[in-house]
Amino acid sequence: MEIAEIKVSYSTNQVDKIKLVNCKETFEFILSKWDLDIIEFQEECKVILVNRANFVLGIYNLSKGGISGTVVDVRIILSVALKCNASGIILAHNHPSGNMKPSEADRKITKKLKESCDLIDITLIDHFIISKNSFFSFSQDGIL
């Protein structure tokens, strides 16, 4: 009996590799990859995968939810990161309300993801909450 394998891939044939070096640049990069027509309507979560030098390997669209939440499955995040041979990840999700304050659920999932990443030597670099015009960085705020 043959067992199917789920394939996650990224292309390394980019001419210009993108290096993320600070929160402002990372926010601008994230925003450039977001559908701005629904950023204020529907919550989404994406994972940015980077190598040891913080060059972007790719972006994984993790989930789309409703107005006030979306699913963040740590096992899926880590399986994608391992499959892509990522050294670090940046989690990003939007708050359609525009309120950049992290919820208790945001704090819990960040803590759970960080602890899980530490077990397999992948760095959780940051967790961003974004809107069209603003962002909150767990790392910048000293929570991570």
Side-chain angles (χ1 to χ4, degrees):
M1 179 163 78
E2 191 172 322
I3 298 174
E5 180 180 353
I6 296 172
K7 294 185 180 183
V8 177
S9 65
Y10 61 90
S11 173
T12 58
N13 58 1
Q14 293 173 255
V15 176
D16 297 325
K17 292 192 177 192
I18 299 165
K19 183 172 183 166
L20 302 175
V21 294
N22 61 48
C23 288
K24 185 178 184 302
E25 284 182 8
T26 303
F27 167 65
E28 290 169 358
F29 173 75
I30 293 167
L31 205 56
S32 75
K33 303 302 179 189
W34 219 275
D35 182 349
L36 298 180
D37 291 333
I38 60 172
I39 198 168
E40 293 175 337
F41 175 69
Q42 183 177 22
E43 194 164 315
E44 294 182 88
C45 187
K46 299 177 189 279
V47 180
I48 298 142
L49 304 138
V50 299
N51 68 11
R52 183 80 48 211
N54 282 2
F55 283 103
V56 175
L57 298 172
I59 299 175
Y60 182 73
N61 295 316
L62 181 65
S63 62
K64 281 189 179 191
I67 294 169
S68 61
T70 192
V71 175
V72 179
D73 190 321
V74 171
R75 294 171 300 167
I76 292 175
I77 294 170
L78 296 180
S79 67
V80 170
L82 288 169
K83 191 81 169 180
C84 296
N85 201 29
S87 296
I89 58 175
I90 298 167
L91 188 65
H93 79 280
N94 64 310
H95 278 180
S97 68
N99 179 0
M100 295 296 95
K101 184 178 179 186
S103 67
E104 188 57 34
D106 294 336
R107 291 175 185 274
K108 283 181 180 177
I109 198 66
T110 303
K111 183 177 189 278
K112 182 178 179 181
L113 181 58
K114 172 143 181 38
E115 290 169 353
S116 300
C117 284
D118 288 346
L119 289 173
I120 57 173
D121 292 326
I122 292 176
T123 304
L124 176 58
I125 297 166
D126 209 336
H127 178 180
F128 278 80
I129 299 170
I130 68 163
S131 70
K132 260 186 187 176
N133 305 309
S134 185
F135 71 91
F136 177 87
S137 159
F138 278 73
S139 180
Q140 184 174 283
D141 207 58
I143 299 173
L144 193 60

